[in-house]
Amino acid sequence: MSNPLSKTLLQTRGAEHQAEAPIIAVQASRGGQTFAALTMDGELHLIPREGLRQQETWRKLAVHEGAISLAQGCEPESFLSGGEDGRVVETRADGTMEERHKGRSWVDCLASTPTHWACACKKEVHLYKAGHEEAVKGLEHPSALSGLAFDAKGKQLAASHYNGASLWYVQSKEARVRALEWKGSHTGLCLHPGGEALVTSMQENELHGWRLSDGHNMRMSGYPRKIASMSFTRKGRWLATSGADAAVLWPFFGGGPMGKPPMELARLPGLFVTCVCAHPTDDILAIGFEDGTVLLAEVPATMEDNAPGADRILPLCNGQRSGGVARGAVNAIAFTPQGGAVIFGTEEGYIGVVDLSAHA
């Protein structure tokens, strides 16, 4: 790792701001020109990529009475947020807002594509077509929902819940569902970018997966803590996760992950990884730790390329700011879809944005 006294990318290519409440989610817009950070108390912070180091361009909006979820909007420079108030609000880069959904239950999860978006409220998913005020259909589940995601082509919508997960076909006129069953509490989900697998985090410090070609079950265990964050690398070769004192990467090639050991990346002694996010176009992983440290690490092609001490790592920021002020655990990380910039948010309310492009 580089000299801790040298300046980090956050200092030389980025900007930082502290909100008044913990950051629960961050996103980069679909067009890649705007960032958003959502706080627990319902404030949405909008940051323009152009001139991001000019603090006067950052915008703070009161959107919800208690916030829970955040997603890209269907439009290039917009965001969807959901809260305890039962509302889904679309916020554009210029600060204009429109209510897109109003219900009686908390909006626990959100997901979107350029043509559709969906929100999860208790056991039901409401599926909307972009630009339409009425839901296309409601999708009922056996228990409360913990995760929601569209596949890479936007043709299927996945939801995790107690005792398994469900896959729905977006364009189907009938509410056709593929049930993926496994007993227990499933707390979140991640879809393979090539459509090969669906993986859920479990209450019992492990992962469960299904090979979608034949429904074969996969179990990935051995974590000292619960897995709060998962991300497939760009081509789906590795599934990166939090839950240990290094980023844990499971191989989804060569017959893996079953029967294959995971690879560990970017261990920091005495610190646990709290968040991971794969770069959209390169074999790079952003890794956030419980003290606020954020690193960029190159993902080796194979297990054999990951020799001890050979990690290629670049620090985005150290765990403490000048003066010894702690940033707090990293709760969320997101790259722009083009990969030229990254945003992260922490438990102590810090929002950091870094321009990674050559012209920065």
Side-chain angles (χ1 to χ4, degrees):
M1 189 181 295
S2 64
N3 186 336
L5 297 178
S6 64
K7 288 189 176 181
T8 64
L9 288 178
L10 180 61
Q11 294 171 302
T12 60
R13 290 173 168 251
E16 185 176 31
H17 172 75
Q18 187 179 20
E20 296 178 358
I23 306 302
I24 60 171
V26 298
Q27 275 291 349
S29 64
R30 203 172 292 280
Q33 298 306 309
T34 317
F35 300 94
L38 188 64
T39 66
M40 185 178 291
D41 61 1
E43 286 186 346
L44 188 69
H45 294 253
L46 294 176
I47 305 111
R49 181 175 176 183
E50 188 70 29
L52 66 87
R53 304 188 74 178
Q54 302 167 7
Q55 289 286 326
E56 64 271 16
T57 66
W58 292 40
R59 190 190 303 265
K60 180 174 70 174
L61 303 169
V63 184
H64 297 281
E65 296 177 7
I68 302 175
S69 50
L70 179 67
Q72 293 175 332
C74 299
E75 297 179 9
E77 300 300 326
S78 69
F79 302 92
L80 295 169
S81 59
E84 298 174 12
D85 50 14
R87 301 164 62 236
V88 174
V89 177
E90 180 182 16
T91 305
R92 298 182 180 87
D94 62 4
T96 57
M97 295 184 287
E98 289 188 55
E99 186 177 277
R100 294 301 187 191
H101 172 88
K102 175 63 175 176
R104 298 180 181 179
S105 303
W106 293 10
V107 181
D108 297 307
C109 311
L110 283 165
S112 71
T113 72
T115 60
H116 289 82
W117 66 272
C119 62
C121 306
K122 290 187 178 180
K123 299 180 181 181
E124 187 173 17
V125 170
H126 304 276
L127 178 65
Y128 286 83
K129 192 172 182 180
H132 290 235
E133 294 185 2
E134 299 295 326
V136 176
K137 53 190 168 185
L139 307 173
E140 290 285 348
H141 297 78
S143 60
L145 295 150
S146 58
L148 200 62
F150 286 94
D151 68 3
K153 297 180 180 179
K155 293 183 177 181
Q156 294 186 92
L157 178 64
S160 58
H161 45 77
Y162 194 76
N163 286 343
S166 300
L167 270 174
W168 303 86
Y169 292 89
V170 173
Q171 298 289 359
S172 174
K173 293 183 179 180
E174 299 178 358
R176 293 194 296 128
V177 61
R178 179 181 177 184
L180 301 169
E181 299 178 351
W182 188 262
K183 290 185 178 180
S185 179
H186 299 255
T187 58
L189 66 83
C190 193
L191 278 167
H192 188 278
E196 296 177 15
L198 186 155
V199 179
T200 62
S201 51
M202 301 288 292
Q203 190 70 23
E204 298 81 15
N205 295 12
E206 63 183 38
L207 302 172
H208 189 82
W210 294 266
R211 192 167 58 203
L212 294 180
S213 60
D214 57 6
H216 180 75
N217 288 284
M218 301 177 286
R219 183 187 178 194
M220 291 151 275
S221 59
Y223 289 87
R225 292 188 182 179
K226 290 182 175 61
I227 301 97
S229 179
M230 300 181 286
S231 183
F232 273 105
T233 56
R234 61 184 181 118
K235 293 183 178 180
R237 285 180 61 83
W238 299 95
L239 174 65
T241 73
S242 65
D245 61 353
V248 178
L249 284 75
W250 294 92
F252 275 71
F253 59 91
M258 295 304 294
K260 303 285 185 179
M263 176 173 68
E264 296 184 348
L265 195 62
R267 172 176 279 105
L268 293 184
L271 293 175
F272 274 77
V273 172
T274 55
C275 191
V276 294
C277 182
H279 192 278
T281 62
D282 295 311
D283 291 323
I284 295 171
L285 188 67
I287 306 169
F289 292 81
E290 61 185 345
D291 72 332
T293 296
V294 184
L295 307 176
L296 294 180
E298 185 176 10
V299 180
T302 67
M303 194 81 68
E304 290 71 24
D305 296 329
N306 188 39
D311 291 354
R312 298 184 63 180
I313 292 173
L314 190 63
L316 277 184
C317 71
N318 299 318
Q320 292 186 337
R321 306 179 73 235
S322 59
V325 178
R327 289 187 171 88
V330 179
N331 288 338
I333 306 174
F335 286 98
T336 58
Q338 302 79 15
V342 63
I343 180 173
F344 67 89
T346 78
E347 186 68 27
E348 294 298 323
Y350 284 96
I351 308 163
V353 185
V354 178
D355 194 333
L356 303 171
S357 60
H359 64 76

